[in-house]
Amino acid sequence: MSAAVGGAEFHGFRGAAQLPRSRMLGRPLRVAPPAATPSGGAGGPSAASIRAVSVPLKKDASEVKRSKVEIIKEKSNFLRYPLNEELVSEAPNINDNAVQLIKFHGSYQQTDRDVRGQKNYSFMLRTKNPCGKVPNQLYLAMDTLADEFGIGTLRLTTRQTFQLHGVIKKNLKTVIGTVIKNMGSTLGACGDLNRNVLAPAAPYVRKDILFAQETAENIAALLTPQSGAYYDLWVDGEKIMSAEEPPEVTKARDDNTHGTNFPDCPEPIYGTQYLPRKFKIAVTVAGDNSVDILTNDIGVVVVSDSEGEPAGFNIYVGGGMGRTHRVETTFPRLADPLGYVPKEDILYAIKAIVVTQRENGRRDDRRYSRMKYLIDRWGIDKFRAEVEKYYGKKFEDSHPLPQWQFNSYLGWQEQGDGKLFYGVHIDNGRVGGQAKKTLREIIEKYNLDVSITPNQNLILCGIDQAWKYPITAALAQAGLLDPKDVDPLNLTSMACPALPLCPLAQTEAERGILPILKRIRAVFDKVGIKDHESVVVRITGCPNGCARPYMAEVGFVGDGPNSYQIWLGGTPNQSTLAESFMNKVKLQDIEKVLEPLFSYWNSARQEGESFGTFTRRTGFDKLKEVVDKWGESASAT
């Protein structure tokens, strides 16, 4: 069988025998024995080859331009080689080819950019936690790993996962092996495949929420790599498994009725080439936009019938945040409605969408490889028609939905089963110091599972009523304030890690956001905006958009040292895309832009009008005029 990479036919190498399938979702563990490796070993190519494309040959492969990463994937023996050799070398780093492959295993090689004159190599690890669910055992293991092998902190991400920074190469196998053996995984947390699947993090015992979370877990299982390379490298071929995969997942993966699969391939959906770029999916319920649903490659929304029973899903496609400065052909994009499917078809519809991107997404220039560019080029109607070929059915019209709302799930709330949950606000998702120690003590003492939210916060789940007071007191003593006592600017803000470890960062984000929020509050005070009022502020150190700044009411996007683009016009419910307002605003000058804007908003807004809605209604020409006049007035005085 062949898979479409620029219309050409490519060949990969047959890897280890396919290991038993499972999903790493925090269920009881058991261990399967190592699988036999065919002739050629785990790293080298075997004599057999597998075609990695599934459309008829259009031109000779030598005539097709492909990015370097495509060649690396093709020759990797399903993500093994040369990573397996680089991991055992004496060097503190791995080579460029292995750097690309280790992403699929959930890690990025980094250097500390605060250290001048030498390369100080370490690795960031990212976990895979569908719905943000973290069993008690895994949380405690991650907390310990951060102290023993990391920088002493845990980072909660905007995709409901952990990031562990500062792991040196010789400790990678120990750390990843420990994650695997404690009900966790890092497989597919990075790389050109499906990333962590988002869903509402709240542990409500409610039909639609539970169904959304179950669906997210099933999608994650469907799209998990199957070749066994992950377990070969990190636990010597042992397959640490959770409970058996739901039969509907196995059935959907194996189904090749409409030509979606690579027969007899260790990767039946991905083939040797995997996807053209990263792929992001979120699942939610009607009205709940805690997951930034429209920013994903696929957004899935549970639709319930008149009795409250989940009946099917509205599907959205083509969202994505990343862009490149000064390259106008790259852009953030909101997802388009694709249609509705009954609940029993969701895995087949998801697979059809993924395969459409696999077959048609660009593989020559990675800047344009995300599915949003395919849909922008084709239009939604052509894209829908192509997906329907692999789905085998027509999509129904989307069902009407209520207006989106952002839900933070902070503070004390009833789960619906007699127990409570508590959403803990964590500034920028960075868990460290006394807060980290206290959270571990609480989670360990009361044997709590936790959930990570897409807004970088932590939910303590399954709390008995009798534990409420001692937990509240312990959190307060550690400086983890009740959300009502936190500045509302902080409650909705987000920042990516950026400097010093991210190689793409052009300026500060996480280390700079709290001072910026304080300066914004000071501007609010100066122009008469009340303490309970707020705007959604998000900051990234580069234009890739990990903290989704293009959905914020005020987005700061790093465009140089101590310099930001300012984006305006997002809405509090994350349903509207912001637009670039001003470039190259120096950190020390942000008040020169924000003070006139906030002052004008305070004096000219309609009742209840959010800042983002106000900026869109007013228009950027008028707002720039306001900023310019304010500056002229300040200069005159």
Side-chain angles (χ1 to χ4, degrees):
M1 170 131 187
S2 56
V5 184
E9 178 177 315
F10 303 111
H11 299 272
F13 301 104
R14 189 178 300 277
Q18 191 167 2
L19 295 169
R21 300 185 179 107
S22 70
R23 55 178 179 168
M24 305 304 298
L25 299 176
R27 292 166 173 76
L29 303 178
R30 59 192 178 89
V31 180
T37 301
S39 176
S46 70
S49 66
I50 296 170
R51 294 184 178 183
V53 291
S54 59
V55 293
L57 185 65
K58 294 181 180 178
K59 60 172 73 174
D60 186 83
S62 63
E63 299 176 22
V64 178
K65 179 183 177 183
R66 289 188 290 162
S67 71
K68 179 182 177 182
V69 176
E70 291 299 314
I71 308 300
I72 294 169
K73 288 186 289 185
E74 177 190 343
K75 296 181 177 180
S76 71
N77 189 12
F78 297 98
L79 310 180
R80 293 175 174 85
Y81 177 80
L83 179 58
N84 57 335
E85 294 181 353
E86 288 293 303
L87 289 173
V88 297
S89 75
E90 294 297 321
N93 62 311
I94 58 179
N95 68 23
D96 291 344
N97 288 9
V99 164
Q100 296 301 325
L101 296 179
I102 202 169
K103 295 176 184 179
F104 292 79
H105 297 258
S107 182
Y108 285 91
Q109 180 171 275
Q110 300 180 327
T111 60
D112 188 342
R113 293 169 64 185
D114 282 347
V115 177
R116 304 294 182 182
Q118 63 180 30
K119 293 284 188 180
N120 190 359
Y121 289 103
S122 67
F123 291 80
M124 179 273 283
L125 297 181
R126 183 184 295 153
T127 59
K128 197 90 170 280
N129 308 90
C131 322
K133 290 183 179 180
V134 182
N136 176 272
Q137 178 181 340
L138 178 59
Y139 185 91
L140 298 178
M142 294 300 299
D143 181 86
T144 298
L145 290 171
D147 290 339
E148 293 186 359
F149 299 103
I151 60 173
T153 65
L154 285 171
R155 184 57 151 69
L156 313 179
T157 78
T158 60
R159 293 202 69 79
Q160 297 183 274
T161 67
F162 289 113
Q163 284 185 177
L164 183 64
H165 293 92
V167 179
I168 60 175
K169 190 176 87 170
K170 70 177 183 180
N171 293 330
L172 276 173
K173 188 170 183 178
T174 297
V175 174
I176 294 178
T178 301
V179 171
I180 294 170
K181 293 173 182 178
N182 283 276
M183 308 172 73
S185 178
T186 64
L187 174 60
C190 321
D192 297 344
L193 37 53
N194 181 54
R195 304 289 187 89
N196 199 51
V197 181
L198 306 188
Y204 288 130
V205 182
R206 210 176 82 189
K207 288 181 182 178
D208 59 346
I209 292 281
L210 293 173
F211 190 60
Q213 293 171 345
E214 178 187 5
T215 301
E217 291 176 335
N218 286 345
I219 291 171
L222 173 73
L223 299 176
T224 294
Q226 299 293 301
S227 76
Y230 181 70
Y231 300 95
D232 288 347
L233 264 64
W234 306 112
V235 288
D236 298 323
E238 289 183 333
K239 186 87 176 222
I240 311 298
M241 295 192 296
S242 59
E244 288 297 330
E245 180 175 88
E248 63 267 29
V249 174
T250 306
K251 182 180 178 182
R253 183 189 299 112
D254 292 345
D255 181 79
N256 198 28
T257 304
H258 303 291
T260 54
N261 287 23
F262 303 115
D264 304 317
C265 177
E267 292 292 0
I269 295 177
Y270 291 130
T272 63
Q273 301 302 129
Y274 296 83
L275 297 181
R277 278 298 302 272
K278 66 179 79 170
F279 201 88
K280 297 181 178 181
I281 301 175
V283 183
T284 192
V285 299
D288 183 339
N289 201 18
S290 59
V291 298
D292 264 342
I293 191 74
L294 299 177
T295 67
N296 290 270
D297 291 274
I298 305 177
V300 180
V301 185
V302 176
V303 176
S304 298
D305 62 21
S306 59
E307 303 298 320
E309 293 290 334
F313 303 90
N314 280 0
I315 298 177
Y316 298 81
V317 292
M321 292 285 95
R323 49 179 285 274
T324 302
H325 283 317
R326 295 175 296 281
V327 181
E328 298 303 316
T329 50
T330 66
F331 44 80
R333 188 182 192 277
L334 296 189
D336 295 320
L338 183 69
Y340 171 89
V341 298
K343 62 183 180 182
E344 61 270 16
D345 285 354
I346 187 60
L347 296 181
Y348 299 90
I350 294 294
K351 183 178 175 184
I353 296 166
V354 169
V355 169
T356 300
Q357 162 66 354
R358 182 195 75 195
E359 298 292 293
N360 298 284
R362 286 183 61 172
R363 295 180 184 262
D364 58 333
D365 188 335
R366 290 176 64 81
R367 287 181 298 181
Y368 305 105
S369 292
R370 291 289 299 274
M371 195 171 76
K372 64 180 178 180
Y373 295 113
L374 175 64
I375 295 174
D376 187 73
R377 186 169 74 249
W378 276 6
I380 190 63
D381 291 338
K382 179 178 177 179
F383 182 83
R384 182 185 295 110
E386 191 69 16
V387 172
E388 287 171 346
K389 295 177 185 177
Y390 294 112
Y391 177 37
K393 300 180 182 181
K394 295 288 187 181
F395 287 97
E396 300 176 34
D397 291 340
S398 297
H399 287 212
L401 295 175
Q403 187 174 11
W404 293 114
Q405 293 182 341
F406 169 73
N407 297 318
S408 68
Y409 299 121
L410 294 176
W412 287 105
Q413 300 189 44
E414 298 275 354
Q415 289 187 177
D417 58 356
K419 292 184 180 291
L420 305 172
F421 72 83
Y422 184 74
V424 185
H425 170 68
I426 308 289
D427 275 325
N428 307 311
R430 182 69 66 179
V431 184
Q434 186 59 45
K436 177 175 175 292
K437 180 180 179 182
T438 298
L439 283 169
R440 182 193 176 100
E441 290 170 351
I442 291 170
I443 292 166
E444 191 167 28
K445 178 179 179 179
Y446 298 103
N447 194 31
L448 302 179
D449 294 334
V450 305
S451 287
I452 302 170
T453 81
N455 225 52
Q456 303 174 301
N457 295 314
L458 193 70
I459 296 177
L460 308 178
C461 306
I463 300 171
D464 287 352
Q465 297 279 348
W467 303 341
K468 180 176 179 180
Y469 176 76
I471 288 176
T472 302
L475 292 171
Q477 191 170 5
L480 293 166
L481 300 177
D482 188 294
K484 70 177 185 299
D485 297 322
V486 178
D487 190 320
L489 284 169
N490 294 57
L491 294 180
T492 58
S493 68
M494 291 200 297
C496 68
L499 296 174
L501 294 176
C502 178
L504 302 176
Q506 299 181 29
T507 193
E508 299 284 1
E510 179 186 338
R511 296 194 302 193
I513 188 171
L514 292 182
I516 287 175
L517 293 176
K518 289 180 180 178
R519 291 166 65 182
I520 291 174
R521 178 56 66 186
V523 170
F524 276 17
D525 292 342
K526 184 176 181 180
V527 302
I529 297 173
K530 295 180 174 60
D531 289 347
H532 69 273
E533 296 187 272
S534 183
V535 296
V536 177
V537 178
R538 294 177 175 179
I539 301 180
T540 57
C542 82
N544 283 341
C546 293
R548 303 189 284 273
Y550 310 116
M551 303 301 291
E553 293 183 275
V554 181
F556 293 87
V557 179
D559 62 0
N562 295 313
S563 178
Y564 298 91
Q565 280 185 336
I566 294 181
W567 288 64
L568 303 176
T571 47
N573 66 355
Q574 278 80 63
S575 63
T576 306
L577 194 66
E579 297 179 36
S580 178
F581 177 70
M582 195 169 290
N583 297 323
K584 295 291 183 182
V585 178
K586 290 297 183 182
L587 179 61
Q588 65 268 24
D589 294 332
I590 61 173
E591 283 87 353
K592 295 178 182 178
V593 178
L594 297 183
E595 185 175 331
L597 291 176
F598 290 143
S599 178
Y600 190 51
W601 172 48
N602 192 42
S603 64
R605 58 181 161 172
Q606 298 173 355
E607 184 175 356
E609 188 174 33
S610 70
F611 179 69
T613 302
F614 171 79
T615 61
R616 299 188 74 84
R617 178 175 63 82
T618 305
F620 280 14
D621 289 342
K622 176 62 177 177
L623 294 177
K624 288 177 180 177
E625 178 185 325
V626 168
V627 172
D628 290 343
K629 286 184 177 179
W630 190 280
E632 291 169 4
S633 175
S635 298
T637 58

